Amino acid sequence: MTNWMEIDTYAKKWIEEAGERLKVSFDEKLNIDTKTNPNDLVTNMDRETEQFFMDKITETFPNHRIFGEEGMGHDVKDLQGIVWIIDPIDGTMNFIHQQRNFAISIGIMEDGKGKIGLVYDVVHDELYHTVRGQGAFMNEKKLPPLKQGRVSETILSLNATWVTENRKIDPSILGPLVRDVRGTRSYGSAALELAFVAAGRLDAYITMRLSPWDFAGGAILIEEVGGEVSDLQGNPLDYLKGGPLFVSKPGLHKEIGENYLKDL
């Protein structure tokens, strides 16, 4: 039988160690490259942090597989067995320009089901973590179950580019939702935005495109506190391919889905 508490102990230790390494790097010169476009940035610390996890996991749990953003893990084609889905720095642009508002995200799956979720807000030293069925926490503080939400009282996290630029959707579709919610926010780190929904700091988060390592850790957290997690049509997330994502407090999925997202 899998000892999830042992795995969780190691994961929390490693994520905090990796966070310390990132903070030390603030005073060092970064090597910055681009990936798919000039704004899709990657640094030596993204790669070094992923390699750090790769080394620790393969040494301690040789039968586990790693699915990471920077491609240093295994060639994962399925989610059979235990798979660690890792984003070494979620919010690399913030890491480079602000030295804040970024996170390390880890989701640990077994046979396609989320078992452990961790999101570490490095600069604020806030570790959001859960072992499935054991409750979710921010450091040592237990997160309460999420309460029912209403659109008129919602703080929605949404990147403005999805409203102002046509990226496979008509941006005017999201306009009424932006108008009707209480307020909108954008932090530049999907992992943090998911953690903030789990903690009740945000009520919902919508995005048109994410990779599995962006959402794996945070989605497990949200489900543990009774939140709803899906794509924009209410279907389960694809932890191999990624795609659109909609997470929220209970009740908002139905209200927003029926009244605002039906034409997407």
Side-chain angles (χ1 to χ4, degrees):
M1 179 178 291
T2 303
N3 187 339
W4 291 107
M5 300 312 294
E6 177 189 28
I7 296 172
D8 180 60
T9 298
Y10 276 108
K12 287 190 287 191
K13 178 177 183 292
W14 295 335
I15 205 170
E16 290 173 350
E17 288 180 10
E20 285 302 312
R21 293 160 63 101
L22 291 177
K23 284 188 280 190
V24 168
S25 78
F26 287 166
D27 296 324
E28 302 172 357
K29 180 176 174 59
L30 294 173
N31 296 322
I32 303 171
D33 297 314
T34 60
K35 294 191 285 188
T36 60
N37 63 69
N39 296 321
D40 186 8
L41 305 177
V42 62
T43 72
N44 57 301
M45 291 308 301
D46 292 81
R47 299 185 178 105
E48 290 175 21
T49 302
E50 186 163 308
Q51 188 63 56
F52 169 81
F53 284 113
M54 182 75 184
D55 294 343
K56 294 292 187 181
I57 296 165
T58 54
E59 178 184 359
T60 309
F61 304 109
N63 294 325
H64 295 189
R65 292 184 294 157
I66 299 105
F67 185 24
E69 178 175 13
E70 307 310 330
M72 296 182 182
H74 301 93
D75 184 18
V76 174
K77 302 294 187 184
D78 59 62
L79 294 175
Q80 295 305 303
I82 296 177
V83 179
W84 296 55
I85 304 178
I86 299 174
D87 193 336
I89 304 178
D90 185 74
T92 299
M93 187 181 295
N94 291 347
F95 172 69
I96 295 169
H97 289 275
Q98 302 176 344
Q99 295 189 342
R100 64 191 67 240
N101 295 324
F102 66 90
I104 304 171
S105 177
I106 299 175
I108 307 179
M109 318 284 289
E110 183 182 45
D111 297 331
K113 297 180 180 179
K115 296 294 186 179
I116 292 175
L118 305 102
V119 174
Y120 186 33
D121 183 343
V122 173
V123 172
H124 293 100
D125 194 27
E126 292 181 342
L127 176 58
Y128 302 83
H129 58 98
T130 184
V131 177
R132 178 77 73 184
Q134 302 297 315
F137 299 81
M138 191 277 284
N139 293 339
E140 302 305 316
K141 180 181 179 181
K142 188 170 184 178
L143 300 177
L146 295 177
K147 297 180 180 178
Q148 289 279 321
R150 298 185 351 185
V151 167
S152 61
E153 298 173 350
T154 288
I155 302 297
L156 169 68
S157 188
L158 178 73
N159 190 316
T161 58
W162 297 120
V163 181
T164 60
E165 297 179 10
N166 190 345
R167 297 187 178 183
K168 299 183 180 180
I169 65 165
D170 179 352
S172 66
I173 293 174
L174 291 173
L177 176 60
V178 171
R179 178 198 63 212
D180 291 347
V181 296
R182 178 164 285 171
T184 59
R185 300 291 184 270
S186 181
Y187 293 89
S189 166
L192 281 183
E193 287 162 307
L194 289 162
F196 291 168
V197 172
R201 294 176 175 178
L202 292 169
D203 302 303
Y205 172 47
I206 294 174
T207 185
M208 303 302 151
R209 183 179 64 251
L210 282 182
S211 297
W213 42 80
D214 297 317
F215 61 69
I220 298 168
L221 283 164
I222 291 170
E223 290 175 340
E224 185 66 18
V225 291
E228 298 179 270
V229 176
S230 73
D231 68 8
L232 300 184
Q233 283 71 46
N235 303 309
L237 298 179
D238 189 327
Y239 284 85
L240 282 175
K241 297 180 180 178
L245 176 137
F246 176 26
V247 299
S248 74
K249 285 182 172 181
L252 287 176
H253 252 62
K254 179 177 174 61
E255 186 178 1
I256 292 176
E258 290 181 354
N259 297 322
Y260 301 95
L261 302 184
K262 61 182 182 296
D263 295 324
L264 288 175

